[in-house]
Amino acid sequence: MTEVAGDRLVDGYTLVVFDLDGVIYLIDRPIPGAVEAVGRLHAAGRAVAYATNNASRRSSEVADLLTGMGVPAEPQEVLTSAAAAAELLRDRFPAGAPVLVVGAEALRAEIRAAGLTPVARADESPVAVVQGYGPQVGWADLAEASVAIRAGAIWVATNTDRTLPSGRGPLPGNGSLVAALRHALDRAPDVVVGKPEAALFATAARRAGAGRTLVVGDRLDTDIEGARRAGLDSLLVLTGVSDVPELLAAPESRRPTYVAMNLAGLFDPAAVARVPGEPDTGGWSAARVDGGLELRGAGRPLDALVALCAAAWSAPVDAADVRPATPEAQRALAALGLAA
């Protein structure tokens, strides 16, 4: 590991904030090792929170889901983009104001709990449109939202995730539905609440009080960028959406502090690396060659990744073109999902 030798990563932080889909579970099934990792944090008395862009469940429902998986969780530990969007609208409009909801029942429930009136049609004169992911959202919902926004309703998106993880690979997320409406209206939402905006992480950090906060996520474009915007350290785990090629191509705004294959990196110094590190690390040497990257040497795949990040992030490079110069390098690249 390229952290302080012998130290566990988690020992440097007071609060660990987890993303959910792709980190703790995939849809409704826990990711191997996640339940045990969170259990270790609870057993050690470490503060834990969960920040999710998923607007299709309420905080209490997420807490129940986690508890059912073996991860004891309280609703107040769960921060959802649906609840944050409802709070924003509650603070902006008078009690009972009509809000057109495009999304799941959980989003309607959050709007109702905030003292506002969820509606479904533009002719009900909504003061705002709130748009979140819902598997039943269709053309008719987007049409009502379009009419309401053109009539002057403010447009709040719970998040703009392009995709969401599934057992069959990434599927269209709320960001894809927002993009359709954005194309029709020829403008962006007035407010985006969820990651990569900093609000969810900043709220979690405030609740924890003094001490350092570590954000753990699987997406560079939401979790990691959101952590950076909030001024927090982050750990990218390669159990969800973002992979090694995306990491190598990441702009500075989406580069994590640490990377690990899974949540074992929280506890095992050998299972986590600080990036970018140096291009000559742990027996590996990475260099830019003819617009791509060349890896030579031998050692652990995670150290190879550190070297590759250092080379890729030092200047523009085709991160998709990574070549092994030794048989050991070829095996390391295969372990990192970079084999040709």
Side-chain angles (χ1 to χ4, degrees):
M1 142 145 167
T2 52
E3 175 68 356
V4 178
D7 286 351
R8 302 188 316 168
L9 177 59
V10 70
D11 291 334
Y13 299 91
T14 302
L15 169 69
V16 180
V17 182
F18 292 99
D19 176 55
L20 290 175
D21 277 335
V23 176
I24 301 297
Y25 55 68
L26 186 61
I27 308 304
D28 292 335
R29 301 185 64 180
I31 289 174
V35 172
E36 294 78 8
V38 177
R40 291 180 68 177
L41 294 176
H42 280 301
R46 189 82 55 187
V48 171
Y50 306 94
T52 177
N53 274 359
N54 189 334
S56 64
R57 292 189 178 104
R58 301 191 70 186
S59 296
S60 58
E61 294 171 330
V62 174
D64 288 343
L65 174 65
L66 289 169
T67 300
M69 292 179 179
V71 180
E74 299 294 332
Q76 60 267 25
E77 294 177 321
V78 180
L79 303 166
T80 74
S81 60
E87 290 178 12
L88 181 150
L89 292 171
R90 177 200 62 198
D91 294 342
R92 184 169 297 194
F93 296 107
V99 175
L100 195 154
V101 178
V102 178
E105 179 56 36
L107 183 55
R108 293 182 182 85
E110 293 291 1
I111 292 297
R112 196 176 295 113
L116 303 168
T117 304
V119 300
R121 296 182 55 82
D123 60 12
E124 295 177 88
S125 303
V127 296
V129 171
V130 61
Q131 183 177 7
Y133 171 75
Q136 305 306 320
V137 171
W139 180 89
D141 303 292
L142 298 181
E144 294 300 317
S146 177
V147 172
I149 294 166
R150 290 187 189 280
I154 73 162
W155 178 17
V156 176
T158 61
N159 67 87
T160 53
D161 293 10
R162 292 180 299 105
T163 62
L164 53 82
S166 82
R168 297 184 294 163
L171 301 177
N174 192 53
S176 296
L177 297 171
V178 169
L181 194 52
R182 178 174 182 164
H183 186 67
L185 294 169
D186 195 28
R187 77 172 183 87
D190 295 294
V191 181
V192 177
V193 174
K195 301 171 286 185
E197 300 304 320
L200 291 181
F201 293 140
T203 298
R206 282 197 303 272
R207 289 182 182 180
R212 300 174 68 203
T213 297
L214 178 69
V215 173
V216 183
D218 71 304
R219 297 185 66 127
L220 296 174
D221 60 342
T222 56
D223 307 318
I224 304 307
E225 183 172 346
R228 289 188 65 113
R229 291 188 187 188
L232 303 174
D233 288 349
S234 61
L235 167 65
L236 174 71
V237 290
L238 300 173
T239 52
V241 173
S242 293
D243 56 14
V244 171
E246 186 179 348
L247 176 63
L248 296 180
E252 186 172 357
S253 63
R254 296 180 179 179
R255 294 173 186 169
T257 316
Y258 307 95
V259 63
M261 301 304 294
N262 51 50
L263 291 178
L266 288 171
F267 309 99
D268 183 358
V272 65
R274 185 163 191 141
V275 287
E278 299 294 332
D280 296 293
T281 300
W284 297 106
S285 177
R288 299 188 305 278
V289 177
D290 297 329
L293 293 172
E294 182 180 82
L295 179 69
R296 63 176 59 248
R300 300 181 310 152
L302 196 58
D303 288 327
L305 181 55
V306 173
L308 289 168
C309 285
W313 294 351
S314 63
V317 69
D318 182 1
D321 182 12
V322 183
R323 313 159 203 163
T326 63
E328 293 84 357
Q330 187 169 13
R331 287 191 287 271
L333 294 181
L336 294 171
L338 291 169

